[in-house]
């Protein structure tokens, strides 16, 4: 049988594309070597959020006195947290399987590899589990893998974990050093710290979370340092020896070392596509997620654009729309991609930062307001001030970026994305009614 679309990889990009194209009545085959849901669902977003939620319950229970609640003998059961995480993941994976079944999409469990182009590249062949498949269109959604930096002593070191190892570990480490203070590093720092594990974060750049607004990051940094997390910046790891980490000439020691220094596009199984154009080790795509090869698309982390699950699924929607020649063709608003870091407090942002506006020579007005201007925030976030920053185009007053720290900003950043995506101006946003009392009102107060 010849398929309209063959997809390699069943993560957010792959399963979204499969569902969309199948819904449009097309024959689709999707290859996944592990579980449906990819990194996000199985070893990324969802399991970390499940564990972080458990840790937050424990943290809140042990820090409730400021709200007039005293709980004694509060204990946590990490095995139970892990079990709950596994159940959440299992249910979500089953949900994706059911959705694809409903759309009559063929799902093949196995590692697929692309065959050399058929009929001058007009069609594509794939091999999986000894069977051959043919398709008119090929979509590569193979994701990314944890990057292992060339640090002496890192390979085959039993003390070294990547994020997948950390999520799978049945027991908490007695102490941990986290190499890389990026998104993964800071979310795991939060998890372990809230469960009482001594944490040291080693970050090579002058700041943790270097891609975010520095003022927002500073608030997190101060809180975490005060809480006892040892955060070392401008510190480069030179070597590892079991749990001993040498960095900037000093030796730090912990039971485990979590290495979270970024991820790299996974190009396995694509060896036959020797002519595919790459950019910084990832597959180069155009605005519609097309590669330079005919009828070959790529979506998600493998494109190295922005490694976020919601970018992957949006890319998949756009790519399938292009494949189906939908009119008008959709594009991705890369300028309005929200991102969240699930620290405590959470950080959420969308659009450009003040520094990016400066580097792009865009004259902007920067508005800032502590989150305490929201009554709901005051009622629920005892002792914290939080911050909301808005970057406004000084010429036409359109909203270009919003950056927040304070719980639960992850839940209202979508409203900010809406404003940035649609180029709302400050007077237009002022006409939007926000429910009271909600923390989201900060987006109105700041105008
Ligand atoms: P990252 O790029 O966010 O952070 C890696 C950090 O490691 C950087 O700050 C970098 O300066 C530092 N670093 C690099 N080499 C180092 C070295 N030798 N010593 C010390 N520090 C070093 O990457 P990540 O945290 O591994 O995350 C990978 C991807 O997954 C990112 O694209 C991220 O956005 C995504 N992710 C997103 C979420 C979320 O949306 N909440 C959660 C987890 C991961």
């Amino acid at each position: 049988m010849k398929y309209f679309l063959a997809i390699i990889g069943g993560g957010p990009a792959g399963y979204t594309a499969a569902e969309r194209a199948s819904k449009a009545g097309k024959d689709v085959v999707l290859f996944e070597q592990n579980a449906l849901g990819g990194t996000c669902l199985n070893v990324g977003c969802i399991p970390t959020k499940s564990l972080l939620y458990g840790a937050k319950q424990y943290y809140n229970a042990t820090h409730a006195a400021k709200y007039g609640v005293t709980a004694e003998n509060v204990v946590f059961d990490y095995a139970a947290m892990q079990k709950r995480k596994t159940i959440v993941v299992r249910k979500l994976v089953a949900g994706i399987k059911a959705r694809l079944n409903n759309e009559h999409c063929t799902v093949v469990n196995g590692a697929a590899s692309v065959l050399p182009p058929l009929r001058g590249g007009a069609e594509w062949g794939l091999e999986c589990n000894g069977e051959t498949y043919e398709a008119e269109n090929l979509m590569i959604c193979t994701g990314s893998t944890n990057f292992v930096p060339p640090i002496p002593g890192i390979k085959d070191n039993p003390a070294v974990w990547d994020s997948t190892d950390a999520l799978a570990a049945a027991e908490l480490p007695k102490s941990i050093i986290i190499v890389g203070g990026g998104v993964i590093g800071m979310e795991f720092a939060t998890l372990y710290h809230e469960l009482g594990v001594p944490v040291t974060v080693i970050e090579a750049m002058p700041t943790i979370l270097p891609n975010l607004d520095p003022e927002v990051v500073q608030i997190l940094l101060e809180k975490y340092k005060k809480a006892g997390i040892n955060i070392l910046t401008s510190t480069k790891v030179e070597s590892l020896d079991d749990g001993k980490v040498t960095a900037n000439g000093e030796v730090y020691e912990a039971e485990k070392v979590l290495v979270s220094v970024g991820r790299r596009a996974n190009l396995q199984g694509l060896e036959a596509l020797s002519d595919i154009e790459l950019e910084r080790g990832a597959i180069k795509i155009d605005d519609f997620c097309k590669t330079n090869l005919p009828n070959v698309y790529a979506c998600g982390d493998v494109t190295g654009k922005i490694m976020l699950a919601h970018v992957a699924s949006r890319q998949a929607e756009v790519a399938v729309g292009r494949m189906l020649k939908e009119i008008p063709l959709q594009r991705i608003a890369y300028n309005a991609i929200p991102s969240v870091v699930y620290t405590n407090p959470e950080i959420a942002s969308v659009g450009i930062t003040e520094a990016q506006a400066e580097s792009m020579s865009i004259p902007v007005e920067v508005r800032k307001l502590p989150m305490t201007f929201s009554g709901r925030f005051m009622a629920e976030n005892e002792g914290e001030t939080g911050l909301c920053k808005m970057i406004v185009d000084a010429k036409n007053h359109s909203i270009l970026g919003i950056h927040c720290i304070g719980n639960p900003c992850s839940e209202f950043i979508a409203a900010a994305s809406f404003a940035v995506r649609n180029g709302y101006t400050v007077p237009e946003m002022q006409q939007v009614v926000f429910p009271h009392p909600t923390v989201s009102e900060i987006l109105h107060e700041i105008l």
Side-chain angles (χ1 to χ4, degrees), residues 180 182-184 187 202-205 210 260-263 307-308 340:
V183 189
I184 294 183
E187 290 189 357
I202 302 183
E203 166 59 52
M205 300 286 280
S260 51
V261 295
R263 297 179 63 87
M307 288 192 180
L308 294 173
V340 175

Side-chain angles (χ1 to χ4, degrees), residues 11-12 33-34 37-45 48 141-149 161-165 167 179-180 182-185 188 211 258-267 279-282 300-309:
Q33 58 189 349
N34 297 316
T39 299
C40 165
L41 219 161
N42 295 286
V43 287
C45 324
T48 47
C141 306
T142 46
S144 60
T145 51
N146 284 308
F147 173 61
V148 182
W161 275 351
D162 63 18
S163 56
T164 307
D165 301 321
L167 283 170
V179 181
V183 189
I184 294 183
F188 275 98
N211 297 326
L258 169 63
V259 178
S260 51
V261 295
R263 297 179 63 87
R264 293 292 178 270
N266 175 22
L267 303 174
E279 198 171 41
R280 291 190 302 273
D301 284 8
V302 75
T303 68
K305 281 266 185 196
I306 305 175
M307 288 192 180
L308 294 173

Side-chain angles (χ1 to χ4, degrees), residues 299-429:
C299 299
D301 284 8
V302 75
T303 68
K305 281 266 185 196
I306 305 175
M307 288 192 180
L308 294 173
H310 44 284
V311 172
S313 49
R314 178 67 189 138
Q315 285 178 329
E317 290 168 357
V318 167
V320 172
R322 167 72 174 73
M323 221 176 276
L324 298 174
K325 301 185 174 59
E326 281 173 355
I327 295 173
L329 280 180
Q330 295 184 26
R331 283 168 196 267
I332 307 166
Y334 282 113
N335 66 320
I337 303 292
S339 74
V340 175
V341 189
Y342 293 86
T343 43
N344 189 8
E346 298 168 349
I347 296 176
S349 57
V350 62
I352 59 169
T353 59
E354 198 179 345
Q356 284 164 340
E358 202 179 316
S359 70
M360 290 189 270
S361 307
I362 303 173
V364 291
E365 181 199 331
V366 179
R367 295 169 179 227
K368 294 182 209 175
L369 208 59
M371 295 282 246
T372 45
F373 273 67
S374 146
R376 175 84 181 272
F377 184 86
M378 277 295 280
E380 296 183 355
N381 289 274
E382 189 66 37
E384 298 200 3
T385 57
L387 178 67
C388 178
K389 269 180 94 166
M390 185 178 270
I391 315 299
V392 177
D393 190 310
K395 283 190 187 144
N396 63 16
H397 310 293
S398 61
I399 298 163
L400 301 177
I402 295 171
H403 310 273
C404 302
I405 179 163
N407 292 330
C409 59
S410 63
E411 286 302 332
F412 63 78
I413 199 66
S417 306
F418 205 81
V420 175
R421 160 73 178 79
N422 294 314
Y424 274 21
T425 60
V426 169
E428 281 167 340
M429 191 74 170

Side-chain angles (χ1 to χ4, degrees), residues 60-177:
N60 286 345
T62 50
H63 290 74
K66 58 190 179 184
Y67 298 102
V69 178
T70 311
E72 281 169 16
N73 304 323
V74 181
V75 289
F76 66 85
D77 176 351
Y78 194 62
M81 287 184 192
Q82 283 282 19
K83 194 171 162 197
R84 186 182 154 272
K85 172 205 85 177
T86 305
I87 292 168
V88 170
V89 169
R90 206 177 288 150
K91 280 185 185 164
L92 288 168
V93 171
I96 291 170
K97 204 170 170 189
R99 278 161 63 171
L100 295 181
N101 274 347
N102 281 348
E103 300 303 336
H104 309 291
C105 170
T106 305
V107 177
V108 180
N109 187 224
S113 41
V114 184
L115 299 172
L118 305 175
R119 293 174 272 283
E123 278 160 15
W124 296 96
L126 294 107
E127 191 275 327
C128 186
N129 301 336
E131 303 261 343
T132 304
Y133 299 79
E134 286 186 25
E136 222 175 290
N137 297 285
L138 174 65
M139 189 184 275
I140 302 162
C141 306
T142 46
S144 60
T145 51
N146 284 308
F147 173 61
V148 182
I151 298 173
I154 202 168
K155 283 227 169 101
D156 303 319
N157 181 338
V160 169
W161 275 351
D162 63 18
S163 56
T164 307
D165 301 321
L167 283 170
E171 284 176 18
L172 282 172
K174 289 185 181 60
S175 55
I176 193 153
I177 293 172

Side-chain angles (χ1 to χ4, degrees), residues 174-335:
K174 289 185 181 60
S175 55
I176 193 153
I177 293 172
I178 298 177
V179 181
V183 189
I184 294 183
M186 294 318 296
E187 290 189 357
F188 275 98
T190 305
L191 172 73
Y192 292 129
H193 168 71
E194 292 194 340
L195 294 178
V197 177
V199 177
T200 296
V201 177
I202 302 183
E203 166 59 52
M205 300 286 280
T207 174
I208 54 165
L209 301 166
N211 297 326
L212 299 183
D213 179 273
E215 251 178 302
V216 161
V217 172
Q218 188 59 27
I219 291 176
L220 183 77
L221 192 62
E222 277 168 22
K223 180 180 172 187
Y224 274 19
K225 279 190 167 176
K226 214 164 138 192
I229 304 180
N230 186 19
I231 300 179
L232 310 163
T233 50
S234 302
T235 306
K236 222 164 157 96
V237 174
E238 286 139 19
S239 65
L240 280 110
D241 176 10
D242 207 6
K244 286 196 190 80
V245 178
T246 306
N248 284 11
E250 301 278 332
V251 179
Y252 305 88
E253 192 168 2
E255 189 200 357
K256 291 288 172 194
V257 181
L258 169 63
V259 178
S260 51
V261 295
R263 297 179 63 87
R264 293 292 178 270
N266 175 22
L267 303 174
Q268 265 176 14
L270 310 175
E271 293 75 11
L273 299 178
S274 51
D275 292 338
I276 200 159
E277 208 176 327
L278 302 181
E279 198 171 41
R280 291 190 302 273
I283 297 179
K284 190 176 174 190
I285 52 167
D286 68 9
D287 284 356
F288 307 103
C289 304
K290 270 197 91 242
T291 70
N292 64 314
L293 300 180
N295 303 334
V296 180
Y297 296 75
C299 299
D301 284 8
V302 75
T303 68
K305 281 266 185 196
I306 305 175
M307 288 192 180
L308 294 173
H310 44 284
V311 172
S313 49
R314 178 67 189 138
Q315 285 178 329
E317 290 168 357
V318 167
V320 172
R322 167 72 174 73
M323 221 176 276
L324 298 174
K325 301 185 174 59
E326 281 173 355
I327 295 173
L329 280 180
Q330 295 184 26
R331 283 168 196 267
I332 307 166
Y334 282 113
N335 66 320

